[in-house]
């Protein structure tokens, strides 16, 4: 996820771009850059780090052109650095990009053969080279852009300028938002409304497979076949703060609703159904080395630890490799038994969690193979590990983790498929079935989010309770832990997650009419036992909120609240069970009036022990 801004008009272009980037910094803060026409050429300024670094770099610049583009980056390909920062240029073409280009390696190979030399590690630079290749072959510039876009696989939101056309600005999108803003004799493009809301409230929203050409003749919108499209502009009534959250009340809610896209981005480009392969560009674990793995140790903290527990069920269930899961804060203090036949997987959203980094050092000291699952490119964890699998969730502003958790599980599932194919753990037929299940998850998540109103009503009925139990069996037990943690973090309600089979060993003493139980059920070998747990709760006057992927009319009659989810295989149903628990915690917290995005005593990244 990155932020894009573009401007054409008589204002100070540099000021417009920097102002827009400041309002987009929540979308990425690894690096930033602008490209502005100056004395007939395109001048580019880029820096690593936050927008303030870019502002210092260009504060004395006096660009004389009236067209420019800007970008703030959240890295997905290539470490955060000046050379990987946007804009990227080839010849007369300069672009900024948000998204992931799946086929950039094959395009790069083709362009290399045509004499192109690349300056960065990014997938984005390929787009600039591809457009310039078609342009130098004699195509009209708009046609060159259109032909290049037709060659791209993946997602993109693009801003494009060309030195040959100093009064033209092009935007395009596929599965990545792009907006055209209309002013008086001036035009804007942006990835998000906040970037331009101070200048105009009149906007056109591009649809997938469309490009907008802005010039002195006004805006023109086309599809990729060149057909002209009429689109009525909309008037935006949001205030700037609300616009930053895209209309959501809190960043946490926005990030909960971003999960279908985040899940799709985590999967994108990593699955080849035709050849039964899984691709991780920087895993550094060749298939021949996978067979040497005798044991896996997963180390993480907080929500990432819960993802690791889910990963244990996935990896052991599908590959039969034994897995241990450790708290990062405890790992190095127990002289852990790891060696060169152990694969150590370290999970951290930020890659800067102090306890997880300390565990990495301990694993390195003992000579084990180190693999990171992380959301931040070139973070400390990534630099210290032997390989990395990025979750591609995009920036997560809310302190309570949501989309980072679900994408960590999806990454672990993908990695398990990689392990299983390399070790022959399952057949090609089973692999295809597992992939088919995976490709359903994003749409199934959208179906669950559509039930938000019902979940909010449940939250309203239970917001006054001060103690909750969350119960699950098997792979659903870690989801119960995560659900309880979310409620604790943001609503300050005491909540505990337990394996449902442990109820009689203590927790049942807590059950009464004042302690609701959130019970997670899927149709598996323990379903009947979970029904027994519900009977035990009801016999003690307890309230039951059932979250299930199995349509059971008799169950619905036994419980106080029933939330029905789409069904998938047990490993992926765990992801789906998470989403209603996030929404429940969120709405309870809002109704109780707590600070959802910045709960008391918590930090986004725990960088001290």
């Amino acid at each position: 996820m990155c932020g894009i801004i573009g401007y054409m008009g008589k204002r100070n272009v540099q000021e417009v771009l920097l102002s827009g980037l400041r309002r987009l910094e929540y979308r990425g803060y690894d690096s930033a850059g602008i490209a502005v026409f100056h004395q007939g050429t395109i001048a580019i300024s880029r820096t690593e780090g936050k927008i303030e670094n870019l502002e210092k770099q260009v504060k004395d610049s006096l660009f004389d052109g009236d067209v420019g583009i800007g970008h703030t980056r959240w890295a997905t390909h290539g470490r955060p650095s000046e050379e990987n920062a946007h804009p990227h240029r080839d010849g007369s073409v300069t672009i900024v990009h948000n998204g992931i280009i799946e086929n950039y390696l094959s395009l790069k190979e083709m362009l290399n053969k045509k004499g192109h030399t690349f300056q960065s590690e990014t997938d984005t630079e390929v787009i600039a080279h591809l457009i310039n290749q078609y342009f130098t072959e004699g195509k009209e510039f708009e046609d060159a852009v259109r032909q290049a876009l037709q060659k791209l696989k993946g997602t993109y939101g693009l801003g494009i300028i060309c030195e040959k056309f100093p009064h033209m600005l092009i935007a395009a999108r596929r599965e990545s938002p792009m907006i055209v803003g209309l002013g008086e004799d001036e035009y804007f493009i942006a990835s998000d409304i906040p970037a331009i809301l101070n200048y105009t409230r009149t906007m056109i929203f591009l649809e997938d497979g469309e490009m907008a050409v802005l010039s002195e003749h006004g805006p023109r919108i086309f599809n990729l076949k060149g057909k002209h499209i009429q689109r009525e502009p909309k008037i935006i009534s949001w205030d700037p703060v609300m616009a930053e959250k895209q209309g959501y009340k809190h960043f946490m809610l926005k990030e909960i609703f971003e999960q279908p896209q985040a899940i799709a981005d985590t999967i994108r480009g990593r699955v080849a159904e035709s050849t039964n392969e899984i691709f991780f560009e920087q895993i550094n674990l060749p298939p021949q080395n996978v067979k040497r793995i005798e044991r896996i140790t997963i180390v993480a903290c907080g929500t990432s630890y819960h993802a690791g527990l889910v990963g244990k069920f996935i990896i052991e269930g599908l590959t039969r490799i034994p897995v241990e899961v450790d708290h990062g804060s405890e790992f190095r203090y127990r002289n852990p038994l790891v060696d060169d036949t152990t694969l150590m997987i370290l999970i951290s959203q930020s890659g800067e969690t102090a306890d997880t980094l300390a565990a990495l050092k301990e694993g390195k000291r003992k000579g084990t193979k180190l693999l990171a699952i992380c959301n931040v490119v070139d973070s400390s964890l990534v630099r210290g590990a032997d390989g990395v699998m990025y979750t591609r969730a995009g920036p997560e502003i809310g302190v309570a983790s949501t989309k980072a958790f679900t994408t960590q599980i999806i990454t672990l599932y993908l990695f398990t498929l990689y392990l299983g194919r390399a070790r022959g753990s399952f057949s090609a037929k089973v692999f295809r079935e597992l992939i088919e299940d995976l490709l359903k998850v994003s749409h199934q998540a959208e179906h669950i989010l559509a039930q938000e109103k019902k979940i909010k009503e449940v939250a309203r009925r239970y917001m006054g309770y001060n103690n909750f139990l969350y119960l699950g069996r098997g792979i659903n037990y870690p989801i119960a832990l995560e659900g309880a943690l979310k409620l604790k973090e943001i609503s300050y309600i005491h909540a505990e997650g337990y394996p449902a089979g442990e109820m009689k060993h203590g927790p049942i003493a807590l059950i009464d009419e004042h302690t609701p139980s959130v019970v997670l059920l899927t149709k598996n070998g323990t379903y009947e036992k979970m029904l027994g747990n519900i009977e035990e709760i009801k016999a003690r006057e307890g309230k039951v909120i059932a979250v299930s992927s199995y349509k059971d009319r008799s169950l619905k009659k036994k419980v106080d609240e029933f939330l029905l989810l789409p069904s998938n295989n047990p490993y992926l149903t765990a992801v789906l069970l998470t989403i209603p628990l996030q929404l429940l915690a969120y709405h309870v917290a809002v109704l109780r009036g707590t600070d959802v995005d910045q709960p008391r005593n918590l930090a986004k990244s725990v960088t001290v022990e």
Side-chain angles (χ1 to χ4, degrees):
M1 185 183 293
C2 304
I4 290 174
I5 173 95
Y7 176 68
M8 172 187 296
K10 299 306 179 185
R11 300 178 192 262
N12 182 306
V13 178
Q14 175 182 323
E15 289 182 5
V16 173
L17 297 180
L18 292 174
S19 171
L21 291 179
R22 283 193 294 272
R23 291 178 172 83
L24 291 175
E25 195 162 19
Y26 67 92
R27 288 184 64 92
Y29 34 79
D30 292 335
S31 57
I34 60 173
V36 184
F37 276 92
H38 182 62
Q39 297 181 354
T41 64
I42 295 174
I44 295 177
S45 295
R46 308 184 302 190
T47 63
E48 184 179 349
K50 296 191 174 185
I51 306 300
E52 61 187 30
N53 296 344
L54 179 64
E55 290 174 323
K56 291 175 184 176
Q57 180 170 296
V58 302
K59 67 177 181 178
D60 297 324
S61 300
L62 297 171
F63 302 113
D64 62 9
D66 57 8
V67 175
I69 52 178
H71 187 275
T72 181
R73 182 173 186 242
W74 179 267
T76 57
H77 288 79
R79 69 191 187 283
S81 64
E82 189 278 330
E83 63 267 23
N84 288 332
H86 298 216
H88 288 285
R89 171 164 56 192
D90 184 53
S92 61
V93 178
T94 301
I95 72 164
V96 288
H97 168 227
N98 175 39
I100 298 169
I101 304 304
E102 296 178 27
N103 61 332
Y104 85 100
L105 287 174
S106 60
L107 291 172
K108 190 172 185 178
E109 183 179 355
M110 179 269 289
L111 290 162
N112 279 329
K113 291 177 181 178
K114 292 181 180 290
H116 289 256
T117 301
F118 291 83
Q119 306 301 318
S120 75
E121 303 167 316
T122 69
D123 54 341
T124 296
E125 191 184 353
V126 167
I127 307 171
H129 284 259
L130 193 60
I131 295 171
N132 194 50
Q133 176 65 34
Y134 292 134
F135 186 46
T136 55
E137 288 175 358
K139 293 189 178 297
E140 294 292 331
F141 184 58
E142 291 179 34
D143 292 333
V145 172
R146 190 175 293 112
Q147 185 168 346
L149 296 181
Q150 291 172 340
K151 294 288 186 182
L152 302 179
K153 294 181 181 178
T155 62
Y156 56 76
L158 288 165
I160 308 165
I161 55 179
C162 179
E163 279 184 349
K164 307 293 185 184
F165 301 92
H167 303 291
M168 179 182 289
L169 173 61
I170 294 179
R173 73 158 283 175
R174 181 194 291 159
E175 297 184 37
S176 186
M178 283 300 293
I179 301 158
V180 175
L182 308 178
E184 187 173 338
D185 297 323
E186 63 181 355
Y187 305 103
F188 306 81
I189 65 170
S191 53
D192 284 290
I193 292 171
I196 59 177
L197 194 59
N198 279 12
Y199 301 106
T200 180
R201 292 180 178 269
T202 306
M203 303 184 190
I204 296 173
F205 294 81
L206 296 186
E207 301 291 343
D208 283 346
E210 292 180 354
M211 58 183 278
V213 181
L214 311 179
S215 68
E216 57 264 42
H217 304 297
R220 295 171 292 134
I221 300 174
F222 303 92
N223 65 20
L224 296 190
K225 294 182 179 179
K227 181 182 177 182
H228 187 263
I229 295 168
Q230 292 288 348
R231 178 80 39 76
E232 288 296 317
K234 295 184 178 181
I235 306 301
I236 303 302
S237 60
W238 294 344
D239 62 58
V241 174
M242 202 63 168
E244 189 173 290
K245 298 169 185 171
Q246 295 181 3
Y248 294 102
K249 188 174 182 180
H250 297 95
F251 278 111
M252 182 181 177
L253 185 61
K254 172 177 173 284
E255 288 155 7
I256 289 171
F257 273 81
E258 286 175 346
Q259 286 176 113
Q261 184 63 54
I263 289 167
D265 286 342
T266 300
I267 298 168
R268 196 179 308 281
R270 288 172 165 170
V271 177
E273 295 176 78
S274 58
T275 57
N276 291 338
E277 291 181 275
I278 301 291
F279 298 102
F280 285 106
E281 294 168 9
Q282 296 170 268
I283 196 170
N284 294 329
L285 187 66
Q288 61 268 26
N289 291 352
V290 170
K291 296 179 181 179
R292 294 188 63 246
I293 298 171
E294 296 180 2
R295 191 163 56 93
I296 293 173
T297 295
I298 299 175
V299 182
C301 299
T303 285
S304 296
Y305 173 77
H306 297 157
L309 291 173
V310 175
K312 171 183 172 70
F313 282 95
I314 299 173
I315 295 169
E316 289 187 343
L318 291 175
T319 71
R320 309 309 297 159
I321 301 172
V323 179
E324 294 180 5
V325 186
D326 265 284
H327 290 282
S329 55
E330 296 289 330
F331 181 77
R332 67 189 186 279
Y333 296 117
R334 65 174 184 82
N335 192 19
L337 297 172
V338 294
D339 55 28
D340 61 0
T341 65
T342 305
L343 173 65
M344 188 168 160
I345 301 175
L346 303 113
I347 309 174
S348 169
Q349 188 281 139
S350 67
E352 304 297 341
T353 307
D355 289 321
T356 307
L357 292 175
L360 178 139
K361 291 179 182 178
E362 180 68 11
K364 194 180 288 285
R365 189 177 70 82
K366 289 181 174 288
T368 188
K369 181 76 173 177
L370 302 166
L371 183 60
I373 293 179
C374 191
N375 194 35
V376 178
V377 172
D378 210 36
S379 59
S380 298
L381 180 65
V382 171
R383 293 196 303 273
D386 299 309
V388 60
M389 299 178 288
Y390 288 116
T391 55
R392 300 174 177 172
E396 195 175 60
I397 307 301
V399 168
S401 184
T402 53
K403 62 180 180 174
F405 177 71
T406 49
T407 55
Q408 285 168 354
I409 296 175
I410 293 296
T411 302
L412 285 161
Y413 184 91
L414 279 165
F415 178 64
T416 302
L417 299 188
Y418 179 85
L419 285 178
R421 290 298 286 151
R423 295 170 68 98
S425 302
F426 37 73
S427 66
K429 179 176 180 293
V430 170
F431 176 87
R432 285 193 297 272
E433 290 171 351
L434 292 168
I435 289 298
E436 287 170 5
D437 291 341
L438 179 63
L439 299 179
K440 297 175 188 174
V441 176
S442 179
H443 294 300
Q444 290 179 320
E446 290 176 350
H447 176 81
I448 296 168
L449 291 169
Q451 299 185 57
E452 185 201 8
K453 184 178 179 181
K454 182 177 180 179
I455 296 168
K456 185 176 180 180
E457 291 170 358
V458 174
R460 190 177 300 279
R461 289 192 284 272
Y462 289 84
M463 61 170 284
Y465 290 85
N466 293 317
N467 296 282
F468 278 74
L469 283 177
Y470 284 70
L471 301 170
R473 287 180 183 250
I475 195 171
N476 297 335
Y477 161 57
I479 304 304
L481 290 174
E482 176 62 14
L485 177 61
K486 283 293 150 289
L487 193 67
K488 279 186 279 196
E489 284 180 311
I490 62 174
S491 72
Y492 316 144
I493 291 172
H494 174 249
E496 297 296 337
Y498 278 97
E502 290 292 300
M503 272 190 67
K504 292 177 181 176
H505 299 277
I508 199 167
L510 299 173
I511 301 294
D512 61 19
E513 68 274 20
H514 304 299
T515 304
S517 296
V518 180
V519 181
L520 309 179
L521 303 98
T522 50
K523 189 60 175 174
N524 54 29
T526 61
Y527 183 76
E528 299 299 327
K529 295 184 181 297
M530 288 299 299
L531 294 181
N533 291 135
I534 290 172
E535 295 287 0
E536 292 168 345
I537 295 168
K538 296 303 294 180
R540 289 158 179 81
E541 306 297 329
K543 303 283 188 181
V544 175
I545 302 169
V547 184
S548 178
S549 60
Y550 181 59
K551 194 171 185 178
D552 183 345
R553 291 182 180 178
S554 64
L555 169 63
K556 192 172 182 180
K557 294 177 182 178
K558 294 176 182 178
V559 300
D560 300 276
E561 312 288 346
F562 182 73
L563 299 173
L564 180 63
L565 311 183
S567 180
N568 205 312
N569 74 46
Y571 309 113
L572 295 171
T573 298
V575 175
L576 301 175
L577 286 170
T578 301
I579 298 172
L581 303 188
Q582 294 170 347
L583 284 170
L584 179 65
Y586 169 81
H587 284 295
V588 167
V590 170
L591 290 165
R592 289 171 71 104
T594 62
D595 187 342
V596 172
D597 283 336
Q598 294 182 314
R600 67 189 184 199
N601 304 331
L602 296 177
K604 184 63 184 170
S605 180
V606 182
T607 56
V608 294
E609 185 178 0

